[in-house]
Amino acid sequence: MACEPNRARLLCMLSLTFGFFIVEVVVSRMTSSLSMLSDSFHMLSDVIALVVALVAVRFAEKTQATNKNTFGWIRAEVMGALVNAVFLTALCFTIVLEAVERFTEPHEIESPVVVAGVGAAGLLVNLLGLCLFHGHAGGGHGHSHGGHSHGSKNKRGKTSKNSKAGNGSSGEETNNLVGNHNSPGDGRPRNEISCKGSTEVQMNGNTHYEEMDPDHDSSSQLNMRGVFLHVLGDALGSVIVVVNAVIFTFVWQPCIKGEKCMNPCVNSHSADHYHDNNTVVDLHVGPTVPTMKFAGPCWVLYLDPTLCIIMVSILLYTTYPLLKESALILLQTVPKQINMHRLNERLLSLDGVLAIHELHIWQLAGSRIIATAHIKCHDPTSYMEVAKRIKDLFHNEGIHATTIQPEFVTFSSESRDSLCELSCRTQCAPKLCCGAADKQNTGSDKKAAVASNLEVISETSEAAGAVVQVCPGSEAEVRIAREVESSL
Amino acid sequence: MLPLSIKDDEYKPTKYNLLLKLSGWFRSILADKTSRNLFFFLCLNLSFAFVELTYGIWSNSLGLISDSFHMFFDCTALLAGLAASVISRWRSNDSFSYGYVRAEVLAGFVNGLFLIFTAFFIFSEGVERALEPPDVHHERLLPVSVAGLLVNLVGIFAFQHGGHGHSHGEGDHGHSHSLFNGSTSHGHSHGGHHHHDKHADWHSHGGHEEPHYNDELQHLPGKGSSKQILQGVLLHIIADTLGSVGVIISALLMQKYDLMIADPICSMLIAILIGVSVVPLLKESIGILMQRTPFSLDHALPECYQRVQQLQGVYNLQEPHFWTLCTDVYIGTLKLLVAPDADTRWILSQTHHIFTQAGVRQLYVQIDTAAM
């Protein structure tokens, strides 16, 4: 199972990080260091990111269609990636805020040795996490999909299609795609299967189980990338903590208790006086303290916020592509490797196809791409012949879940090939939120042609509706007869 | 040959193009009522944040400065909502065949996530402060929190009114998406380590389609869902106001009775409140983004399937997929297995009509003929 290594890694990392979080909280209580406490909360956010990724992976395993989620839960991984990316961005903002606060009010580190120790331990944990997830985030990995056999599904001519498909899809994750093509897309084999009379082929049934592996990989990669970036951010944070603590121990000369010294860097109320045995000695009272010591170089205190800001910029730079990619998938973009124009032209070049409307291609998750279109043909028989070739065309592009709606030329609209017969009724044309504006112009002159259909249909629908409500089964024949006579 | 058109756009320097774009965006923001409200609320928040920042720098209060930064953080969420409302009106193109309408769902989701993160952050700071109570400078607390409460109340009135009586004459086509963002600032202790409550970011579907079209069938679903969303928005703002009221109370407690523990407890309660109130928003956006069957169609769909299967010639209905593109826009695909001698045209139009009655206007029906 492709998911098992992911889950195992996530669980392992999760337990490690959670354990470390507990350790940090305990240490912070013992040393009463506030910065350690805040760092432990960063660890907690890491834990939450891992939990999110784990939940997404578990959900995405259920690729069976359910009643409510007809596509299965496979999109959960894209969502998990987005959630992680957003959390990371929010975390970066918080760190920036804290860094700015530190700039205005620098703090010394109390007990830097302990901090260095804990920071080093945290770094180890994070490096381990990086190793665990690096292979995943790098892209592609060894799952052999080529040899999938899919049981009872019809596999006629699959191997030839595999090679074609391999060339058709450009670039990414070719090993995944080869496996993907093994899965019987809904279109082509279904006709053959229907010949055998088994009409119960549900695409979202067993086939998804086998399809799951390749899709799981490429979409789970997105998820794992999110986790990887989170762990990377944490690792950088630990590096900063360690570097800061080490420099602090070696460079900083602190004010030892009992000695008269002042800390000039901290711009607090103690800058102009200091406490000497519970009395306040005002520093501005002339040069009366020749043996005054000053705490170590000030720039050390500003090192921490500076490094934080550098780390934030690195993190944001690496998170942005992940954020963009998952957001684009969720926005129903056409996948990068598909060229709509070219696809359109190729579809139009098939004979029998008069026009194409409402072509929509979007990515469900990973390499599962879904396309829908209206194809205008002369009549049902020509449609049947052309349907297979259309499906093949889509298969070559790597799109296996297609729904093609046929439209037939009505007698009155010979000249209007480019208009969509069934795009909408007149009222709903402007309500379509996608490109409806360009259709509006065509909608108005279509009104005349569609109106006649409309009246007919509304008449039948009322009849149908009324009859269905009254008695679902028995008067079916009467209703059908009425509808047939009034349809054309 | 004389030029047929004077399109020297490509010869213009890019600066003009940028200005044009910005002014175009401005106009589109101001055109729609709800995004206009959002824009003004954003300006209000921004100005409040700047005032707080200058006051904090002038009086050298770190807490006020950090609070103003939190407010800026709030404003970025408002900005994201505004950007989404502008983006979702862009035309569709080659890469975005459905247009950009999903941007508002995504923005709602992202803002919900930001809210949860803010709640988590506030909670953690509350815990930190409970464990290690710092000195409290609450002199400046009250005026700031009162001011924040006022800003919030402005938001309530602006969006409550804008919700119900939304513009009927505006919007040429499509939808107006309004994203509400209500934020509050309330002062907290620790020299005023203020926290920002949250944002609620909702998208409400401007129901201004109604006056354009007389089709009563589509009237009801649109109205119902936007009403629900607006209710959610109001709940959010009310929770916000309660939050600032709570802060004011805790400030008073601290001043009068010196009850330092009130502040962390208050922030923890507020964080929990934020978390709880964000859950419905997240559930809805997650449902939409996961391509779940639309909630409002849950009951109507099985009946539609039955009706379709009773059409003459239809053997079976397979692989129905229905999902929400954006608020109230549903898209569906399904496959029908029909008899070889069936009248496909009639079946197609009937199916379309059945589902249009249910509210699904974009439907793709694939007809597969069963061989004899």
Side-chain angles (χ1 to χ4, degrees):
Chain A
M1 195 65 65
C3 321
E4 279 312 320
N6 272 355
R7 272 176 69 183
R9 287 178 211 198
L10 280 174
L11 274 172
C12 163
M13 190 64 195
L14 183 68
S15 45
L16 267 177
T17 321
F18 193 66
F20 195 69
F21 161 69
I22 304 278
V23 164
E24 269 201 341
V25 166
V26 165
V27 167
S28 79
R29 293 305 296 136
M30 280 183 352
T31 61
S32 56
S33 132
L34 200 59
S35 63
M36 178 102 351
L37 193 64
S38 70
D39 194 48
S40 68
F41 275 115
H42 281 195
M43 269 287 183
L44 188 65
S45 78
D46 213 26
V47 167
I48 291 180
L50 283 168
V51 165
V52 163
L54 199 63
V55 164
V57 163
R58 277 246 27 231
F59 266 124
E61 284 173 19
K62 304 188 209 167
T63 47
Q64 320 283 67
T66 62
N67 256 348
K68 302 290 183 285
N69 272 300
T70 49
F71 288 107
W73 289 87
I74 202 168
R75 244 203 187 173
E77 291 191 311
V78 181
M79 302 274 289
L82 182 73
V83 168
N84 271 337
V86 167
F87 262 40
L88 210 54
T89 318
L91 197 67
C92 288
F93 279 145
T94 326
I95 295 178
V96 164
L97 285 176
E98 284 182 8
V100 168
E101 277 176 36
R102 284 294 175 87
F103 269 127
T104 48
E105 216 183 76
H107 289 172
E108 290 182 34
I109 307 181
E110 313 102 15
S111 56
V113 182
V114 178
V115 171
V118 175
L123 185 62
L124 275 179
V125 169
N126 284 323
L127 281 178
L128 181 67
L130 281 182
C131 289
L132 273 179
F133 295 122
H134 177 65
H136 241 285
H141 52 95
H143 272 273
S144 57
H145 305 295
H148 262 186
S149 68
H150 295 266
S152 58
K153 301 293 175 284
N154 193 353
K155 290 298 154 296
R156 240 190 317 148
K158 272 297 170 197
T159 47
S160 58
K161 278 213 317 201
N162 281 348
S163 49
K164 268 194 286 177
N167 300 334
S169 60
S170 54
E172 49 181 65
E173 297 144 331
T174 43
N175 56 338
N176 293 339
L177 278 167
V178 167
N180 206 9
H181 291 309
N182 264 337
S183 57
D186 40 342
R188 202 175 160 277
R190 284 195 61 254
N191 292 337
E192 295 141 356
I193 289 172
S194 60
C195 296
K196 297 188 179 136
S198 62
T199 57
E200 298 310 309
V201 173
Q202 293 283 337
M203 185 182 94
N204 289 327
N206 309 329
T207 49
H208 274 204
Y209 219 59
E210 293 131 346
E211 266 186 348
M212 184 182 69
D213 286 352
D215 305 315
H216 203 73
D217 293 336
S218 44
S219 68
S220 73
Q221 267 184 22
L222 215 57
N223 201 14
M224 288 300 138
R225 252 170 77 190
V227 171
F228 176 75
L229 284 175
H230 222 107
V231 174
L232 178 73
D234 226 32
L236 283 177
S238 302
V239 164
I240 287 180
V241 163
V242 170
V243 163
N244 204 27
V246 163
I247 289 184
F248 204 77
T249 30
F250 290 127
V251 178
W252 178 258
Q253 283 134 17
C255 279
I256 307 172
K257 266 205 173 97
E259 233 182 39
K260 289 184 194 158
C261 94
M262 191 201 77
N263 193 341
C265 318
V266 179
N267 191 16
S268 61
H269 67 283
S270 62
D272 47 0
H273 62 272
Y274 68 95
H275 298 262
D276 183 6
N277 293 336
N278 289 335
T279 60
V280 174
V281 180
D282 195 4
L283 277 174
H284 288 322
V285 183
T288 54
V289 213
T291 58
M292 173 59 79
K293 277 196 180 176
F294 288 93
C298 274
W299 61 267
V300 179
L301 289 181
Y302 291 108
L303 187 65
D304 191 12
T306 327
L307 286 177
C308 276
I309 292 196
I310 294 178
M311 171 185 95
V312 160
S313 44
I314 294 179
L315 269 183
L316 282 179
Y317 183 69
T318 48
T319 312
Y320 179 68
L322 177 69
L323 188 67
K324 199 169 146 190
E325 196 174 322
S326 44
L328 280 180
I329 292 183
L330 291 175
L331 281 177
Q332 315 283 90
T333 342
V334 172
K336 298 184 287 291
Q337 68 265 31
I338 308 248
N339 185 344
M340 287 283 264
H341 270 303
R342 205 170 50 99
L343 191 65
N344 228 340
E345 283 166 26
R346 284 168 68 182
L347 279 170
L348 280 173
S349 68
L350 293 174
D351 52 343
V353 173
L354 295 174
I356 303 181
H357 310 298
E358 306 231 9
L359 177 65
H360 291 292
I361 303 182
W362 49 282
Q363 191 173 2
L364 181 62
S367 43
R368 272 189 66 187
I369 306 182
I370 299 187
T372 55
H374 291 176
I375 304 260
K376 191 158 184 163
C377 319
H378 283 294
D379 49 39
T381 43
S382 72
Y383 165 68
M384 279 301 135
E385 291 154 27
V386 117
K388 290 181 203 168
R389 274 178 281 146
I390 295 175
K391 294 275 178 169
D392 277 347
L393 200 86
F394 277 115
H395 275 291
N396 289 341
E397 294 278 332
I399 306 170
H400 305 291
T402 51
T403 306
I404 311 282
Q405 172 168 300
E407 286 172 9
F408 306 109
V409 179
T410 57
F411 300 115
S412 56
S413 70
E414 283 297 334
S415 56
R416 298 208 204 94
D417 269 352
S418 58
L419 297 178
C420 195
E421 296 289 325
L422 284 167
S423 69
C424 66
R425 311 287 180 242
T426 51
Q427 301 97 306
C428 69
K431 287 182 196 170
L432 290 178
C433 58
C434 7
D438 2 339
K439 286 219 176 91
Q440 251 185 332
N441 310 331
T442 60
S444 50
D445 54 358
K446 252 199 323 172
K447 262 188 216 177
V450 179
S452 52
N453 282 343
L454 215 83
E455 288 143 17
V456 164
I457 287 171
S458 58
E459 191 184 303
T460 54
S461 81
E462 284 160 15
V467 173
V468 163
Q469 277 161 16
V470 165
C471 167
S474 56
E475 292 183 14
E477 278 125 310
V478 175
R479 167 174 59 88
I480 287 172
R482 247 193 291 160
E483 287 168 335
V484 164
E485 84 190 46
S486 57
S487 69
L488 284 170
Chain B
M1 282 287 280
L2 285 172
L4 292 171
S5 70
I6 310 174
K7 282 199 73 149
D8 52 355
D9 279 352
E10 55 260 29
Y11 302 106
K12 277 199 193 135
T14 42
K15 189 180 75 163
Y16 288 129
N17 272 346
L18 187 67
L19 273 176
L20 264 173
K21 250 196 257 185
L22 279 175
S23 64
W25 289 347
F26 239 53
R27 253 179 287 131
S28 104
I29 289 177
L30 294 175
D32 180 43
K33 174 158 184 161
T34 34
S35 68
R36 200 170 36 201
N37 277 346
L38 198 63
F39 180 66
F40 287 142
F41 195 63
L42 172 70
C43 290
L44 182 64
N45 255 358
L46 262 179
S47 45
F48 189 63
F50 270 118
V51 161
E52 223 183 349
L53 182 68
T54 46
Y55 187 57
I57 290 181
W58 172 64
S59 66
N60 201 14
S61 148
L62 183 66
L64 275 178
I65 294 179
S66 78
D67 188 44
S68 66
F69 279 134
H70 278 271
M71 246 195 142
F72 281 122
F73 184 56
D74 263 5
C75 291
T76 55
L78 257 177
L79 192 68
L82 195 61
S85 73
V86 166
I87 288 176
S88 59
R89 279 188 234 128
W90 286 348
R91 293 280 164 78
S92 63
N93 55 28
D94 262 358
S95 315
F96 289 88
S97 58
Y98 285 111
Y100 294 83
V101 280
R102 263 221 172 160
E104 61 152 12
V105 180
L106 206 59
F109 180 63
V110 166
N111 274 313
L113 287 182
F114 266 31
L115 266 174
I116 285 207
F117 184 79
T118 317
F120 168 68
F121 188 59
I122 293 176
F123 194 81
S124 74
E125 288 224 11
V127 165
E128 275 178 35
R129 264 194 254 124
L131 291 178
E132 211 181 278
D135 0 306
V136 181
H137 296 288
H138 45 243
E139 310 85 45
R140 300 191 190 97
L141 201 59
L142 263 179
V144 172
S145 46
V146 168
L149 181 67
L150 284 176
V151 168
N152 230 25
L153 288 175
V154 165
I156 289 187
F157 288 127
F159 288 99
Q160 179 181 31
H161 186 67
H164 288 302
H166 41 245
S167 51
H168 285 270
E170 288 163 4
D172 38 359
H173 76 102
H175 321 272
S176 96
H177 306 282
S178 80
L179 292 119
F180 169 69
N181 195 315
S183 79
T184 188
S185 92
H186 53 272
H188 255 291
S189 63
H190 193 240
H193 229 1
H194 302 255
H195 287 296
H196 269 274
D197 239 9
K198 60 202 188 259
H199 319 280
D201 220 89
W202 271 105
H203 42 277
S204 86
H205 182 67
H208 64 275
E209 323 168 0
E210 279 85 65
H212 284 258
Y213 309 109
N214 304 323
D215 193 357
E216 293 303 315
L217 284 172
Q218 280 91 12
H219 181 92
L220 288 166
K223 201 61 188 260
S225 69
S226 68
K227 209 176 204 176
Q228 188 192 40
I229 287 175
L230 285 172
Q231 269 180 3
V233 166
L234 268 179
L235 271 176
H236 243 265
I237 313 176
I238 289 176
D240 255 345
T241 336
L242 281 179
S244 17
V245 164
V247 166
I248 291 177
I249 289 179
S250 87
L252 286 173
L253 276 178
M254 283 192 290
Q255 270 181 356
K256 296 272 165 51
Y257 302 110
D258 218 20
L259 213 66
M260 289 310 156
I261 198 71
D263 181 54
I265 289 187
C266 196
S267 37
M268 285 196 259
L269 276 176
I270 288 174
I272 293 179
L273 196 69
I274 298 172
V276 161
S277 59
V278 151
V279 165
L281 167 63
L282 278 185
K283 257 177 78 167
E284 182 165 332
S285 349
I286 287 181
I288 293 182
L289 290 174
M290 291 281 289
Q291 313 285 90
R292 187 200 183 281
T293 318
F295 289 97
S296 48
L297 290 184
D298 270 344
H299 301 296
L301 280 181
E303 189 192 306
C304 292
Y305 298 157
Q306 254 193 328
R307 283 171 70 182
V308 168
Q309 281 178 322
Q310 284 167 346
L311 294 176
Q312 185 190 33
V314 174
Y315 285 162
N316 201 359
L317 184 152
Q318 292 166 346
E319 299 186 31
H321 291 292
F322 287 87
W323 48 281
T324 318
L325 180 64
C326 48
T327 328
D328 286 343
V329 178
Y330 306 128
I331 300 186
T333 66
L334 47 94
K335 305 193 191 204
L336 293 179
L337 199 63
V338 299
D341 58 347
D343 182 358
T344 28
R345 255 178 260 211
W346 177 77
I347 291 179
L348 270 179
S349 56
Q350 283 300 303
T351 316
H352 268 259
H353 193 77
I354 291 173
F355 280 101
T356 312
Q357 279 183 320
V360 179
R361 298 184 206 109
Q362 286 202 42
L363 186 67
Y364 297 86
V365 180
Q366 177 166 303
I367 307 258
D368 289 318
T369 318
M372 276 311 225

